[in-house]
């Protein structure tokens, strides 16, 4: 009986393990509506029953920027490459904020969604993708805040020299940030299904990593001897390039940027391989 | 010949019991070391039969070597005791987790309804949740839009559609969730125990909808339930899962009978295989069962039903004055009455060699609602005792008729609740 059918077409085949590299982008595409709805859900549900609603998007980076201004600018008197402090810190805060939010939220993918994952099948990759996308909306809103502030300083103070010719790099920077957040988040989420220890590592790891990235200081301030350490961080060139485009100061090097690109691609590939392996059976261990 | 919608071949699933803890990393390393050297996973061999009530090793086969296929448009009922592996099988089918060995192939989309309301977000409104839930179950936005009105009507929540679902009653919640799932356009629908929730009217609606889905639209449905009445009305074919293995497949009625007669599931019947029929002296017991008037085993009794106790036995020699006694006991063991097939009529005193069945009829409109025991004893009075205290039990589920007419009132007091004659005389 079954021999008769073996050569026919089957839509779904469920087998124990599939190859590491078989990533099912086709089915992710089939579920694109779900992706948009999840992004919408994140966005809508987050601010239900709040009075200020999406204004909270502005409050957080503004307060953080003011905090840095006081501590690192006024108290520690750290140099900002001669740039006005507010746009300098704000640029770092929103870029780092986007990365760290994407990373922490995607790293919880399996644990927070175990309830849904345990009941129905859909391509698991949809969830981390939706997280990165809804954070992207947040980044967009916060970026407009940065633009307003930047224009103000551009007109009132003449210290910034925007590099208009490099503006096309901006979307690439966003893709790199999203890719790094997604890739690392996916790796962490896959590993935490079995070993929850990594969650603790991640929460303070991100805080520490911020200081290994030129968020509150310019790269030029780092001592020559240890600069390679900070440059080795793929996020460094992203922030430096961002600042260079808008303010004309910063260590912009094509090689640094290319390095970040390569690292991002490697992390994404490794991440999707691990994710692919774990998503089939994680329900048994989560 | 119809095409197969699903083919399951040699599917097994190994689970590790206990906590996932420090042992995990060493097992993982050991597994990896074996794989590098091209050897089989050492823990696969440790797997044991899925028996929940006996102690054993850490690894258990929740499902072991299950193979069967389902035809397109068929409604397959999967029955089995708690922990037999039904849900694991459904999880494998709905791709929640992957099998350890074996493969499953299917034609068309599989949508599963393992628990209603999956992915409902309490803060979102009914409308938003219909779209979100539909998308999680695999529908496109366009499909949901075209079915939206139907879903809302089915669930009966028009008025609350723009209210966050956290304000819904649990019944409304379930209705809405089932509505979404039932209107899926998947070729294969998997339903697990959803009927346990919701009121009777809604349950009938669900069964009706599932019937439509399979009969009118020709879709395949896999249905898991402990409610044998629902299984019987819905399903044409059945699969019985026992301790992780497939015990039987085929038409639904024999499957249900076998499930109900399987060990300790229900003691409305005692039967034995040829080898171990209890035998004492000249008598071999064949079966004892409590059936309804149509000879069915799975039907629930109501107070108006006649209850039949069948005692089947074989006499190897002629016997005189044999007596089959049945005692009716209440749920707490109190003897309500005692009755036997003993007869003093001369011609009937002798039972010649052969097979017999003594049938006791407990008339309708006699018992109350509740659980009763029947104790069977076989003897020759003052001479010889053959069998004693063979106990069966049965339930009377509802009061349907008494002096008040047809009613579903609360249980009346008393061990029995016969309808007796009253005369009202005016002086």
């Amino acid at each position: 009986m079954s021999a008769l059918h073996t050569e026919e077409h089957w839509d779904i085949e469920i087998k124990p393990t599939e190859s590491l590299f078989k990533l099912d982008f086709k089915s992710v595409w089939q579920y694109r509506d779900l992706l948009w709805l999840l992004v919408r859900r994140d966005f809508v549900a987050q601010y239900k029953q709040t009075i200020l609603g999406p204004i909270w998007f502005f409050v957080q980076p503004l307060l953080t920027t003011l905090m840095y201004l006081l501590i690192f600018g006024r108290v520690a008197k750290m140099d900002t490459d001669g740039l006005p402090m507010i746009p300098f810190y704000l640029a770092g805060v929103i870029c780092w904020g986007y990365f760290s939010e994407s990373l922490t939220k995607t790293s919880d993918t399996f644990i927070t969604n175990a309830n849904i994952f345990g009941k129905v099948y859909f391509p698991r990759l949809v969830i981390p993708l939706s997280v990165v996308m809804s954070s992207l909306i947040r980044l967009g809103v916060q970026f407009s805040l940065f633009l307003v502030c930047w224009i103000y300083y551009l007109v009132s103070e003449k210290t910034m020299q925007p590099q208009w010719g490099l503006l096309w790099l901006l979307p690439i920077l966003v893709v790199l940030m999203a890719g790094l957040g997604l890739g690392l988040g996916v790796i962490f989420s896959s590993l935490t299904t079995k070993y929850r220890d990594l969650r603790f590592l991640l929460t303070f790891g991100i805080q520490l990593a911020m200081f290994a990235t030129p968020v509150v200081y310019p790269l030029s301030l780092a001592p020559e001897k240890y600069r390679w350490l900070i440059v080795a961080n793929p996020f460094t060139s992203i922030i430096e390039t961002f600042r260079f485009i808008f303010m004309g100061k910063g260590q912009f090097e094509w090689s640094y940027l290319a390095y970040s690109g390569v690292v991002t691609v490697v992390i994404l590939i490794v991440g999707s391989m691990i994710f692919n392996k774990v998503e089939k059976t994680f329900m048994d261990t989560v | 010949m119809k095409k197969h919608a699903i083919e399951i071949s040699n599917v097994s699933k190994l689970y590790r019991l206990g906590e996932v803890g420090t042992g995990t990393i060493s097992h993982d390393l050991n597994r990896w070391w074996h794989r590098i050297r091209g050897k089989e996973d050492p823990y696969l061999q440790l797997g044991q039969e899925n028996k929940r009530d006996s102690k054993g090793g850490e690894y258990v086969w929740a499902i072991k070597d299950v193979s069967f296929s389902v035809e397109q448009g068929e409604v397959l009922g999967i029955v089995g005791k708690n922990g037999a592996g039904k849900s694991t099988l459904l999880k494998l089918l709905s791709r929640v987790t992957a099998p350890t060995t074996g493969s499953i192939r299917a034609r068309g989309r599989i949508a599963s309804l393992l628990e209603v309301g999956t992915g409902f977000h309490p803060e979102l409104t009914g409308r938003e949740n219909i779209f979100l839930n539909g998308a999680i179950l695999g529908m496109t936005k366009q499909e949901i839009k075209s079915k939206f009105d139907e879903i809302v009507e089915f669930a009966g929540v028009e008025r609350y559609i723009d209210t966050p679902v956290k304000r819904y009653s649990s019944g409304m919640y379930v209705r809405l969730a089932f509505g979404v799932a039932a209107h899926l356009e998947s070729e294969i629908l998997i339903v697990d125990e959803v009927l346990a929730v919701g009121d009777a009217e809604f349950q009938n609606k669900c069964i009706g909808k599932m019937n439509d889905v399979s009969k009118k639209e020709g879709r395949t449905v896999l249905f898991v339930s402990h409610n044998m009445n629902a299984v019987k009305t819905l399903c044409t074919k059945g699969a019985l899962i026992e301790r992780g293995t497939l015990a039987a497949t085929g038409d639904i009625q024999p499957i249900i009978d076998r499930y109900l007669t399987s060990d300790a599931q229900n003691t409305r019947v005692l039967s034995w295989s040829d080898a171990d029929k209890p035998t004492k002296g000249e008598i071999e017991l064949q079966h004892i069962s409590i059936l309804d008037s149509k000879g069915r085993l799975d039907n629930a009794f109501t107070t108006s039903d006649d209850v039949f106790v069948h005692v089947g036995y074989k006499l190897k020699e002629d016997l005189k004055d044999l007596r089959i006694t049945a005692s009716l006991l209440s749920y707490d063991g109190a003897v309500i009455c005692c009755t036997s097939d003993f007869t003093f009529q001369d011609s009937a005193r002798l039972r010649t060699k052969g097979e017999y069945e003594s049938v006791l009829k407990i008339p309708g409109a006699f018992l109350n609602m509740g659980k009763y025991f029947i104790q069977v004893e076989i003897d020759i009075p003052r001479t010889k005792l053959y069998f004693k205290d063979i106990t069966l039990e049965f339930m009377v589920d509802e009061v349907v008729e008494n002096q008040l007419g047809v009613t579903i009132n609360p249980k009346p007091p008393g061990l029995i609740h016969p309808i007796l004659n009253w005369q009202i005389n005016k002086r």
Side-chain angles (χ1 to χ4, degrees), chain B residues 119-409:
Chain B
F120 266 34
H121 195 292
E123 296 288 348
L124 299 183
T125 66
R127 183 188 304 277
E128 289 164 330
N129 266 313
I130 288 179
F131 279 95
L132 183 63
N133 195 233
I136 286 178
L137 294 170
M139 284 197 269
T140 63
K141 219 171 175 178
Q142 215 45 51
E143 282 175 333
I144 306 168
K145 242 181 212 160
S146 64
K147 297 257 176 177
F148 186 83
D149 293 334
E150 242 179 285
I151 295 173
V152 175
E153 198 204 341
F154 181 85
V157 292
E158 287 94 333
R159 216 178 144 186
Y160 300 91
I161 199 66
D162 288 313
T163 307
V165 293
K166 63 178 174 181
R167 310 253 180 260
Y168 280 29
S169 79
S170 53
M172 278 156 58
Y173 194 90
V174 169
R175 279 157 183 267
L176 190 64
F178 187 84
V180 178
H183 289 84
L184 281 176
E185 296 211 316
S186 64
E187 287 74 18
I188 299 164
L189 184 66
I190 298 177
V191 185
D192 187 6
E193 291 289 8
V194 272
L195 298 177
V197 282
D199 52 20
E201 179 212 334
F202 183 67
Q203 288 190 8
N204 287 334
K205 215 168 169 180
C206 293
I207 292 185
K209 180 70 198 171
M210 282 197 274
N211 253 327
D212 285 356
V213 160
S214 65
K215 289 187 184 134
K216 287 191 196 147
E217 300 166 33
R219 286 149 62 184
T220 311
V221 181
L222 299 191
F223 181 60
V224 168
S225 179
H226 290 287
N227 180 344
M228 286 305 128
N229 274 323
V231 171
K232 207 165 63 177
T233 29
L234 258 179
C235 305
T236 47
K237 290 283 162 71
L240 173 64
I241 310 274
E242 270 174 3
R243 289 193 213 99
T245 55
L246 186 70
T249 49
D251 289 330
I252 191 66
Q253 190 57 49
I255 296 284
I256 291 180
D257 290 346
R258 181 156 169 198
Y259 167 65
L260 289 173
T261 54
S262 64
D263 52 342
Q265 175 56 46
N266 181 306
T267 42
R268 261 174 70 179
V269 71
L270 291 172
S271 58
W272 298 274
S273 64
D274 285 336
D276 54 22
K277 285 202 166 88
T279 310
K280 285 257 179 79
E282 304 84 353
I283 302 182
E284 181 186 280
L285 258 187
Q286 287 178 321
H287 65 265
I288 304 177
S289 48
I290 299 173
L291 306 177
D292 69 2
S293 55
K294 289 182 181 142
R296 289 176 302 193
L297 193 60
D298 56 311
N299 235 30
F301 292 114
T302 65
T303 50
S304 67
D305 288 335
D306 299 335
V307 177
F308 294 88
V309 181
H310 293 246
V311 184
Y313 50 96
K314 188 168 154 185
L315 302 184
K316 291 172 181 167
E317 278 159 44
D318 299 354
L319 277 181
K320 205 181 167 198
D321 285 348
L322 187 72
R323 176 169 76 169
I324 316 286
T325 312
S327 307
L328 178 68
L329 279 67
S330 67
Y331 69 97
D332 56 359
V335 180
I336 296 166
C337 65
C338 186
T339 170
S340 82
D341 69 346
F342 192 72
T343 164
F344 288 104
Q345 285 166 337
D346 271 341
S347 61
R349 283 176 74 173
L350 180 74
R351 293 181 206 188
T352 52
K353 203 167 120 178
E355 291 188 16
Y356 286 84
E357 189 173 52
S358 296
V359 181
L360 162 71
K361 173 181 172 184
I362 302 172
F366 173 71
L367 296 173
N368 198 348
M369 220 169 118
K371 183 167 158 182
Y372 290 94
F373 295 102
I374 293 284
Q375 249 173 23
V376 176
E377 191 177 301
I378 301 180
D379 67 343
I380 297 173
R382 289 187 293 274
T383 311
K384 191 170 181 185
L385 178 67
Y386 289 96
F387 293 98
K388 192 172 175 278
D389 292 347
I390 303 172
T391 309
L392 291 87
E393 61 178 79
F394 67 97
M395 289 285 297
V396 177
D397 281 341
E398 54 183 327
V399 178
V400 289
E401 210 181 321
N402 61 11
Q403 272 89 349
L404 302 168
V406 175
T407 170
I408 45 164
N409 276 340

Side-chain angles (χ1 to χ4, degrees), chain A residues 79-81 83 88 91-92 95 163 166 169 173 177 212-222 227 230-231 233-253 256-257 260:
Chain A
D79 190 25
T80 53
D81 265 355
L83 293 170
F88 178 88
C95 289
Q163 307 292 309
L166 289 173
L169 273 176
L173 293 182
M177 287 191 278
T213 313
V215 174
V216 293
Y217 57 88
L219 183 60
S220 59
L221 209 65
R227 189 172 293 177
I230 293 172
V231 173
N233 174 351
F235 211 78
T236 299
S237 70
I238 296 175
I239 289 191
E240 285 294 311
T241 308
F242 186 88
R243 287 198 184 119
F244 184 70
I245 292 173
F246 285 97
M247 300 174 236
K249 293 264 173 72
Q251 307 285 305
F252 170 69
E253 301 261 358
Y256 289 177
L257 202 59
S260 296

Side-chain angles (χ1 to χ4, degrees), chain A:
Chain A
M1 191 84 162
S2 62
L4 205 76
H5 288 289
T6 42
E7 271 142 52
E8 288 183 28
H9 168 73
W10 293 93
D11 298 301
I12 298 169
E13 289 209 54
I14 305 168
K15 284 180 185 160
T17 38
E18 277 165 30
S19 85
L20 279 180
F21 297 97
K22 203 193 153 220
L23 257 189
D24 209 354
F25 285 115
K26 207 178 121 199
S27 56
V28 172
W29 177 246
Q30 278 171 358
Y31 279 81
R32 62 192 179 278
D33 284 337
L34 175 61
L35 188 59
W36 291 121
L37 282 164
L38 284 173
V39 171
R40 215 182 99 84
R41 178 192 77 171
D42 279 357
F43 199 76
V44 172
Q46 201 169 7
Y47 293 105
K48 282 229 168 158
Q49 282 197 11
T50 61
I51 295 166
L52 292 181
I55 294 175
W56 284 108
F57 279 146
F58 295 120
V59 175
Q60 196 211 346
L62 269 181
L63 286 181
T64 317
T65 302
L66 284 177
M67 195 75 165
Y68 290 167
L69 182 78
L70 281 176
I71 295 172
F72 299 110
R74 296 276 180 263
V75 178
K77 295 208 169 33
M78 273 159 86
D79 190 25
T80 53
D81 265 355
L83 293 170
M85 284 181 179
I86 290 186
F88 178 88
Y89 288 126
L90 200 53
V93 165
I94 63 170
C95 289
W96 184 258
Y98 174 58
F99 167 73
S100 68
E101 198 195 56
S102 304
L103 176 54
T104 39
K105 277 200 187 159
T106 44
S107 72
D108 273 351
T109 302
F110 284 120
I111 294 172
T112 49
N113 293 288
N115 186 32
I116 300 184
F117 285 175
K119 300 295 186 290
V120 282
Y121 171 81
F122 54 87
R124 293 350 187 176
L125 208 53
V126 167
I127 297 270
L129 282 175
S130 81
V131 169
V132 171
M133 282 194 197
S134 58
S135 306
L136 197 62
I137 294 176
R138 206 179 84 136
L139 176 70
V141 174
Q142 294 179 348
F143 183 69
S144 66
L145 173 73
F146 171 77
L147 278 185
V148 169
C149 168
W150 174 70
I151 290 168
Y152 172 79
Y153 280 96
L154 197 63
V155 176
S156 65
E157 294 183 34
K158 305 287 181 206
T159 45
M160 299 192 292
Q161 291 106 36
Q163 307 292 309
W164 302 110
L166 289 173
L167 209 57
W168 61 272
L169 273 176
L170 193 62
I172 295 180
L173 293 182
V174 173
V175 169
L176 285 181
M177 287 191 278
L180 274 177
L182 179 70
L184 285 174
V186 154
I187 291 175
F188 273 98
S189 72
S190 308
L191 296 178
T192 42
T193 59
K194 250 187 181 173
Y195 308 111
R196 300 260 170 120
D197 315 45
L198 290 171
R199 284 181 106 181
F200 302 106
L201 185 70
L202 188 68
T203 34
F204 76 82
I206 286 186
Q207 286 168 1
L208 292 186
M210 193 187 89
F211 294 103
T213 313
V215 174
V216 293
Y217 57 88
L219 183 60
S220 59
L221 209 65
E224 203 67 51
K225 225 169 126 191
Y226 301 111
R227 189 172 293 177
W228 65 272
L229 256 177
I230 293 172
V231 173
N233 174 351
F235 211 78
T236 299
S237 70
I238 296 175
I239 289 191
E240 285 294 311
T241 308
F242 186 88
R243 287 198 184 119
F244 184 70
I245 292 173
F246 285 97
M247 300 174 236
K249 293 264 173 72
Q251 307 285 305
F252 170 69
E253 301 261 358
W254 288 105
S255 57
Y256 289 177
L257 202 59
Y259 164 77
S260 296
V262 171
V263 171
T264 306
V265 170
V266 169
I267 286 178
L268 274 177
I269 290 175
V270 172
S272 51
M273 273 164 58
I274 300 180
F275 194 82
N276 199 29
K277 183 150 175 55
V278 168
E279 71 160 354
K280 295 265 157 52
T281 53
F282 90 98
M283 270 321 293
D284 309 335
T285 47
V286 74

